[in-house]
Structure formats: C-alpha cells, structure tokens
Amino acid sequence: MEYFDTIKRHDYEQISIIQNQKAKLFAVDVIHDTTRGPAVGGTRFMKYPNEEEAIRDALKLSRGMTYKSAAAGLDCGGGKTVIMEMDGMDRTLALKTLGRYIEHLQGRRYTGRDLGVSTEDIDFMRTETRWVADETPAGVGDLSEATAFGVYQGIKACLAEAYGNDSLKGRSISVQGVGEVGYWVVKYAVENGAKVTISDIHPKAIEKTAKAFPVTVVKPEEIYGVNGDVFSPCAIGGIICSETIPKFRCRIIAGSANNVLATEEDGIALFQRGILYAPDYVINSGALIQWWYRQKTYEVKNKRDPREAICDLYPVIRNILKESKEKKLAPAMVADRYAERQLKKEKTYVDFNWGNLK
Ligand code: NAD
C-alpha cells in the first residue's frame, strides 16, 4: 500500500478503521497530530470508489487540519473522519457507532460537520459522545458567517499589501459561488462599499444573493476573466489551474474554497504573474476559530472573543505576504512553513482534559 510512505513521511499519530457490518459502516478516523492539542476536524460522509480512496482522503484532510489549526494559532491539532456512503446503510446505527468510537478517544479527537453530514446526523452522534460540535446558536453558532468574516479580514490584508490601503470602498470584487459562505462574503463586500460581481451554477443561490444586494451577475465561466481587484473563490477546490491562471484580470485571489490551487506549481505560477494569493487554509479558518472559542467541552469557551481572534487573520496574512515578497516564495509555501514553525514542539499523544470530563 503506497500510502504507508505518506504515513511515515508526515508522521501520522493514529489511523483507525471503524466497521459495523450490520450498519454497512466503513469509516476511517485519522489523528494526524496532537502536538498543540486535541485533533479537531469534521466528519465527511460521501461515496468513494473504494476503501483505499477513503483512507487517502482522510489522511490528506487530517493533515490539512493540523496546518489550519497551527496557522490560526489555536491550541489544537488535526484530525478527520470519513464515512463511505453505501447503498442500504443503516445511517443512524452507523453514526451512533462512530459516536461511540469518538467517545472512547476521551477528547483526543473532536469532530463536527463536514461535507454530506447534516445537523440531524450530528444529533445522532451526540447521543453517544460529547466530542462533537453543537452548531446551534447556544453552541458554536453560524460557522459559515464566521468563515466569511475571516475572508473579509483576508481581503483587507491583501488590499493593504497591494495598494497600501485596506479599504474595500470602490474596489471591485468578484465572488465565485454564493452559497453558505459566499453570500456573507458578498454582504461584507457590499456593506463596505465594494462593487461586486457574482457567479454560481445554482440559479437559487444567484436569486437569493441578487435579491439581497446590488450585484452584477455573470456566467460561471466568465468569472475568471472579470477585470477587477479581487477574485474570491467560494465554491469548489482545484479551480486555480493552468487553464484559469491566464484568464485572471485581478490583483488578488482571496476566498474560502478549500484546496483551491490544483497543484503547488499553480501557486508558483500565480506568484510569477504577480497575483497576490491568500493561502486557503489560513483565510478560511474563521469557522474553526469560532468553533474553538465557543465550544464547551474544553476549557477554552469564552477565553477569547472569537470575533477578535478571527481579526488576527489580518496580520497573519499580511506577514505571509510580506515573507513571500522578501523570500521570493509563493504564499502557499510560506504558509506551510509558518504552520510548521508552530508545530516545533514535542508530540503529546495524551488526552488533554482528563480533569474536565463531565
Ligand atoms: P456551499 O455548498 O454552501 O456553497 C458553494 C456554492 O458554490 C454553491 O452555491 C454552488 O452552487 C456553487 N458552485 C459550485 N460549483 C461552482 C462553480 N463551478 N461555479 C460557480 N459556483 C459554483 O459551500 P460553502 O459552505 O459556502 O463553502 C464554500 C467553500 O468554502 C467550499 O470549498 C468549502 O470547503 C469552503 N469552506 C467552507 C467553510 C464553511 O464554514 N462553510 C469553512 C472553510 C472552508
């Protein structure tokens, strides 16, 4: 199995397969790193072509969470769970089984919603474990809005670097994807005086946003070529690639979409074209930050105002862009180095809050 090489190279702490054949459950839970604290990261429910692909996805995503937590300066590490969607599954039993598994980790792992997992699913898991985020207003609140607030901070940091002035007033911003996060990004942009262009493949999403805000709508394939200051990708990953890079007519790329660079080379190509790029896992960490400071299970609730903590993304992104310029390195590479510097401590392999179990 070729991923054993990946497991050793990136120092994964623990990889578990959770099966319950009665429920048709095959899930993979990965704890990549707990150097800074418990391994946080959502649970994803989706179809995979085979078990190996599910394992590969969990490995990649959990490591991404370690970097995201470290770059955000949070005392937590990275983990991820993926559930293979199967025909004829007993979804409730599958989720409860997984909940029990998470509970037995006694807080080393803390999970929540990711792709394909609903709040109802989370409620089933919560019958078996404390270590799952409660997204109600009394719990961690609206995480998409928190992500958008972080994107807004990131856009301002990029504007400051590019123009020496971080105001959005009169700037033109194009937003790809106006779903949960993109809608709020448009709101922040419009309310702060920007001229906004949007695209989406879903007519309902366009309709909702265009009804609420004065925006220009373009076809999905036209968004890359919009002449303006900022392109904000808030839809899917992999869209910055050799095909789209020559089309960009913007100075800045700053949005929420995960894994937005198709390859590392595409990050270098953007840099060579002089387009400032705010690294995805840094600019989109607002949800993680809000979750961390509002969840009750660890002793961090109310330790900091999540809003204030999300504002810290501004100086982090400015520093990354500054270092990128000084060292002539693409920002995505600078971000990795920055996150790795935060991880230069001994691994712990322990539970973090024995004293606080309720
Ligand atoms: P969402 O599904 O609510 O919204 C995505 C929108 O993009 C949808 O309206 C969809 O129709 C549209 N879309 C898909 N493909 C498109 C295309 N080719 N062109 C134009 N529009 C397209 O998702 P979301 O929660 O808003 O997340 C958006 C991105 O941000 C995702 O990549 C997600 O992984 C990332 N992200 C989200 C959060 C969060 O808090 N929700 C946190 C971190 C990162």
Side-chain angles (χ1 to χ4, degrees):
M1 292 190 209
E2 110 278 347
Y3 46 62
F4 275 133
D5 180 46
T6 308
I7 291 168
K8 284 188 196 157
R9 190 155 28 96
H10 296 303
D11 204 6
Y12 284 84
E13 285 183 20
Q14 184 173 331
I15 295 142
S16 311
I17 289 173
I18 303 99
Q19 271 206 91
N20 180 342
Q21 293 190 349
K22 189 174 165 210
K24 290 203 176 176
L25 169 70
F26 181 94
V28 188
D29 179 68
V30 179
I31 294 178
H32 170 249
D33 191 284
T34 58
T35 304
R36 295 176 61 88
V40 303
T43 294
R44 180 169 284 201
F45 204 126
M46 63 184 263
K47 277 209 187 307
Y48 287 94
N50 52 51
E51 285 79 1
E52 297 208 350
E53 281 304 316
I55 295 172
R56 199 168 289 118
D57 204 27
L59 288 171
K60 189 176 95 193
L61 294 166
S62 61
R63 183 163 167 258
M65 287 307 299
T66 299
Y67 277 65
K68 185 184 269 209
S69 304
L74 303 176
D75 288 331
C76 51
K80 203 81 177 187
T81 309
V82 307
I83 307 176
M84 280 185 83
E85 197 179 327
M86 310 264 197
D87 291 339
M89 265 184 111
D90 181 339
R91 195 170 172 116
T92 308
L93 182 59
L95 290 159
K96 286 189 168 195
T97 306
L98 197 59
R100 279 196 186 191
Y101 169 77
I102 296 290
E103 181 61 25
H104 109 281
L105 292 170
Q106 299 269 308
R108 278 194 75 215
R109 178 84 178 90
Y110 196 112
T111 193
R113 259 183 344 115
D114 197 79
L115 288 181
V117 172
S118 65
T119 45
E120 290 77 27
D121 291 335
I122 287 296
D123 288 344
F124 287 127
M125 286 178 80
R126 272 157 45 82
T127 60
E128 306 295 326
T129 182
R130 295 156 284 180
W131 312 104
V132 178
D134 163 18
E135 277 191 50
T136 61
V140 297
D142 186 339
L143 296 181
S144 302
E145 191 275 335
T147 301
F149 184 62
V151 170
Y152 168 56
Q153 298 304 319
I155 289 175
K156 285 206 301 176
C158 292
L159 288 171
E161 182 66 21
Y163 304 116
N165 173 351
D166 69 6
S167 170
L168 272 68
K169 202 165 185 343
R171 296 286 174 205
S172 39
I173 299 181
S174 42
V175 182
Q176 179 186 47
V178 283
E180 298 278 341
V181 178
Y183 176 88
W184 286 99
V185 170
V186 171
K187 185 169 194 289
Y188 280 115
V190 168
E191 285 178 357
N192 286 282
K195 290 172 281 181
V196 178
T197 303
I198 63 166
S199 78
D200 200 293
I201 52 169
H202 229 280
K204 280 232 160 72
I206 290 278
E207 202 183 302
K208 181 181 168 198
T209 311
K211 213 168 158 186
F213 309 108
V215 292
T216 305
V217 181
V218 296
K219 293 191 184 120
E221 62 278 13
E222 289 170 1
I223 197 84
Y224 304 110
V226 173
N227 206 343
D229 299 298
V230 182
F231 169 63
S232 185
C234 297
I236 49 168
I239 55 99
I240 300 177
C241 58
S242 53
E243 209 180 291
T244 55
I245 290 173
K247 295 183 186 168
F248 289 123
R249 298 285 172 272
C250 58
R251 181 80 179 83
I252 291 162
I253 297 184
S256 73
N258 271 315
N259 301 321
V260 74
L261 296 172
T263 65
E264 199 174 272
E265 288 69 39
D266 295 312
I268 297 170
L270 276 188
F271 182 65
Q272 287 167 344
R273 270 206 60 190
I275 297 175
L276 288 181
Y277 166 70
D280 52 4
Y281 66 79
V282 183
I283 192 171
N284 73 17
S285 59
L288 175 69
I289 296 171
Q290 176 155 315
W291 175 26
W292 183 243
Y293 287 113
R294 286 191 60 179
Q295 49 91 11
K296 292 176 268 190
T297 328
Y298 296 98
E299 274 185 344
V300 288
K301 188 172 163 71
N302 297 329
K303 263 205 170 160
R304 259 198 104 186
D305 175 358
R307 223 57 193 175
E308 193 191 287
I310 294 171
C311 287
D312 283 354
L313 293 176
Y314 182 113
V316 168
I317 290 170
R318 275 221 77 176
N319 287 337
I320 287 172
L321 296 175
K322 223 176 262 166
E323 193 174 326
S324 156
K325 194 169 163 188
E326 282 163 15
K327 300 200 170 141
K328 299 190 172 34
L329 266 182
M333 291 167 146
V334 176
D336 283 356
R337 289 183 177 193
Y338 174 78
E340 281 157 7
R341 282 201 296 274
Q342 319 297 312
L343 291 167
K344 290 267 186 293
K345 288 194 289 178
E346 287 290 303
K347 274 180 181 281
T348 59
Y349 295 100
V350 293
D351 167 68
F352 297 93
N353 246 345
W354 284 103
N356 298 316
L357 293 177
K358 289 179 200 119

